[in-house]
Amino acid sequence: MPDSAAESRDPRERILLAAGREFAERGYEAATVRDICTAAGANVAAVNYYFGDKHRLYIESVKHAHEARLRQVPQPEWAPGTPAAQKLRDFVGSMLDRMLGGDQPPWQVRLMMRELLQPTEACRELVEDYIRPHFGILLGVLDELTGSALPESEVRRLGLSIIGQCFLYRAAGDVVAMLVPGGEIDAYHTPQAIADHVTRFTLAAIGVAAPFARPGLGTVSALESPR
Amino acid sequence: MPDSAAESRDPRERILLAAGREFAERGYEAATVRDICTAAGANVAAVNYYFGDKHRLYIESVKHAHEARLRQVPQPEWAPGTPAAQKLRDFVGSMLDRMLGGDQPPWQVRLMMRELLQPTEACRELVEDYIRPHFGILLGVLDELTGSALPESEVRRLGLSIIGQCFLYRAAGDVVAMLVPGGEIDAYHTPQAIADHVTRFTLAAIGVAAPFARPGLGTVSALESPR
DNA sequence: AATCGATTGAAACGCTTGTTTGATTTCCTC
DNA sequence: GAGGAAATCAAACAAGCGTTTCAATCGATT
């Protein structure tokens, strides 16, 4: 058990940890206060004693997971002069590592993913404290990469394109695994390999790296870029 | 009520419909047999009479939604000679329309999305009958677009990049709306606008359309495409 | 050692859940 | 129109849920 060593002597902390894992695995409705308390080695009454009710326990456990995650995965920082393309690769790599990394994705990510997919009250806080700053960094890199030639709205769409590519593997990873032949999933769909692909794809779209295929099909003018 | 006109006189059908909506909205655990039956105008016992238990009702309702969706959104077909770039735009557009389209996304899509994000038994069937064929069409278009110059594994990754970009708006739409300034979400993030962006982004990455920004920053060689 | 608030514990509460029952109604067949 | 299977209904069931209760225990302070 990866986290059990860090299991605090403080019962409040223990419950928070067990709750996070349980909520992440089963979802809010299916997770039961009794199971959480059993896993935490606490009495059922402890939840109401420390948190009031199940709902507030949920909110707290999301915040707790989020803070723990922020602590162990600091935002990327670069030495001045680092090429923007390198920054992009680093950013995508660390995002994918955070999402898919390690042996299996930690329960904190699962829990946060649930919030993103079906937001509750805890979501806004999550976005403001965790998502938006990261997104801001990405936008900065993209702005640098495009030589500040694009309007902000366009840069944002580029950013969402990048995040979307990574997000798919995390949110719908099981389906992706079904769509890709068995052997390939290990060889071509590691966090590293995906990061390489997403980076290359994006740099090519921006025009900083070579495109995937050379034109010359005669279809170039068939669809002008909108506007 | 959009579907109420199609509400069959057959109670089995009515329950299936109400169940789909309820499961889509609340999820399996939170949806209750009583609510479903009330919405369907049926007695609680009807569920067990027609389906045995809640779990089998769920399976059936997923299949039912999936079949209904297949019926109303046929796979795209193109006249011979249609430019591949146009096909890509059509494909992306129809996928986004299916995901986000209409006034609000239909409950069938929500239900299927739940299956994708946290697969149950119904998922494999869903992938084989619904997702994989569509994915195959996309791969065909991409293969055509790249002049069959890329290995299949590479084409698949391109396909996943495209789907990921669209998927984000559907699965994490609420978060996207938080990250984008209020006015912009209506102007730049309609299904049409997103389709245009994703298509342009992809075509640029492949090298069939102009990149988003001209190079010349001196960072081109900073990160060669992997391998 | 006594005191008192903070914490824990076993048990029960009230409610909702999925499911079953058995009587009643409906609808078709002969 | 009588007979009988199919379908519907109100009511109840047992089990599980979140929550509460209140007595027992702990731990620091006096």
Side-chain angles (χ1 to χ4, degrees), chain A residues 24-26 29-30 83-86 89 110 114-119 123-124 127-128 131-132 135 144-147 149-150 152-154 156-158 160-165 167-169 171-176 178-181 184 188-189 193-194 196-215 217 219-220 222-223 225-226, chain B residues 24-26 29-30 83-86 89 110 114-119 123-124 127-128 131-132 135 144-147 149-150 152-154 156-158 160-165 167-169 171-176 178-181 184 188-189 193-194 196-215 217 219-220 222-223 225-226:
Chain A
E25 203 57 42
R26 305 198 203 286
E29 308 286 345
Q86 182 63 49
R89 174 60 180 78
R110 272 192 80 113
R114 278 186 188 278
E115 267 303 312
L116 300 195
L117 299 173
Q118 198 166 31
C123 187
R124 173 152 245 106
V127 169
E128 295 307 329
I131 312 280
R132 193 188 296 282
F135 191 54
E144 190 178 340
L145 213 41
T146 56
L150 299 178
E152 214 179 326
S153 61
E154 198 80 10
R156 251 192 299 267
R157 293 206 283 201
L158 286 179
L160 291 175
S161 283
I162 294 170
I163 291 179
Q165 292 179 68
F167 181 76
L168 179 73
Y169 288 90
D174 297 303
V175 175
V176 169
M178 288 186 198
L179 288 176
V180 173
E184 215 165 274
Y188 292 90
H189 295 271
I194 299 172
D196 286 337
H197 167 76
V198 170
T199 306
R200 186 177 159 217
F201 189 84
T202 304
L203 290 179
I206 294 177
V208 179
F212 275 63
R214 295 289 169 200
L217 296 170
T219 55
V220 184
L223 188 80
S225 60
Chain B
E25 204 56 42
R26 305 199 203 288
E29 307 287 345
Q86 182 63 48
R89 173 59 180 78
R110 272 192 82 113
R114 279 187 188 278
E115 268 302 313
L116 300 195
L117 298 174
Q118 198 166 31
C123 187
R124 173 152 246 105
V127 169
E128 295 307 328
I131 312 279
R132 193 188 296 282
F135 191 55
E144 189 177 342
L145 213 41
T146 55
L150 299 178
E152 214 179 326
S153 61
E154 197 80 10
R156 250 191 300 266
R157 292 207 282 203
L158 286 179
L160 292 174
S161 283
I162 293 170
I163 292 179
Q165 292 178 69
F167 182 76
L168 179 73
Y169 288 91
D174 296 303
V175 175
V176 170
M178 289 185 196
L179 287 176
V180 173
E184 215 165 277
Y188 291 92
H189 295 272
I194 299 172
D196 285 337
H197 166 76
V198 170
T199 306
R200 186 179 159 216
F201 189 83
T202 304
L203 290 179
I206 295 178
V208 179
F212 276 63
R214 295 291 169 198
L217 296 171
T219 54
V220 184
L223 188 80
S225 61

Side-chain angles (χ1 to χ4, degrees), chain B residues 7-19 32-51 57:
Chain B
E7 237 154 57
S8 158
R9 240 41 92 221
D10 178 22
R12 194 190 137 95
E13 194 92 7
R14 285 205 321 266
I15 293 174
L16 229 33
L17 225 75
T32 77
V33 174
R34 277 175 175 78
D35 287 348
I36 289 169
C37 289
T38 302
N43 191 271
V44 263
V47 159
N48 300 77
Y49 182 76
Y50 285 108
F51 301 97
L57 168 62

